[in-house]
Amino acid sequence: MAQQNFRVGRLEQEIQREVNDLLLKRIRDPRVEGVTVTGVEVTGDLQQAKIYYSVLSELASVNQKAAAGLEAATGLIRKELGSRLAIYKTPELKFVKDESVQYGNKIDDLIRQLHPND
């Protein structure tokens, strides 16, 4: 069982690295510019992968465009992962916006407001 968990963790790291690389170098869609993969969760059976991403802008329109761009690129990303990763079956990909980055920025802003002289 420990071997399986290690394998899942390693696969999650590889997927994160490869998807970030693909977004930077291979995907030409302007909607995904500034998208960063912040984490990956792969199910124990390696059939599905949730890919968490963040966008620098907090504008709803930019976030919607990024989501649409990722949705459009999912097939290409999955195909590229299939050729880059040494796994039997490439997991289904689902992109999920990572809200924790924005939440962290909000907390930072609140702390700065409490200590304006720092």
Side-chain angles (χ1 to χ4, degrees):
M1 191 66 187
Q3 184 67 30
Q4 179 71 14
N5 290 340
F6 172 74
R7 186 170 167 219
V8 169
R10 199 175 70 219
L11 181 61
E12 289 171 343
Q13 290 174 342
E14 283 185 48
I15 290 174
Q16 182 171 347
R17 187 178 62 241
E18 294 296 344
V19 173
N20 269 324
D21 186 61
L22 287 166
L23 289 173
L24 276 173
K25 299 175 183 164
R26 185 85 167 76
I27 309 299
R28 296 279 173 243
D29 191 330
R31 296 176 293 183
V32 299
E33 276 178 25
V35 170
T36 305
V37 175
T38 58
V40 175
E41 276 181 19
V42 176
T43 55
D45 61 2
L46 309 179
Q47 297 295 304
Q48 296 176 332
K50 268 189 196 172
I51 300 175
Y52 293 93
Y53 69 92
S54 68
V55 185
L56 291 175
S57 173
E58 289 188 30
L59 292 173
S61 60
V62 173
N63 282 297
Q64 287 171 341
K65 285 179 185 172
L70 289 169
E71 187 72 34
T74 298
L76 175 63
I77 292 170
R78 186 166 184 246
K79 191 175 127 213
E80 284 287 322
L81 281 176
S83 64
R84 290 179 179 209
L85 301 175
I87 51 177
Y88 176 68
K89 184 177 186 290
T90 308
E92 294 288 330
L93 306 180
K94 181 179 183 200
F95 285 92
V96 180
K97 185 163 186 330
D98 186 348
E99 303 292 347
S100 65
V101 175
Q102 278 182 303
Y103 180 74
N105 289 341
K106 231 174 239 163
I107 298 296
D108 287 346
D109 290 343
L110 290 171
I111 291 170
R112 272 190 229 103
Q113 289 171 15
L114 288 172
H115 304 285
N117 299 334
D118 291 350

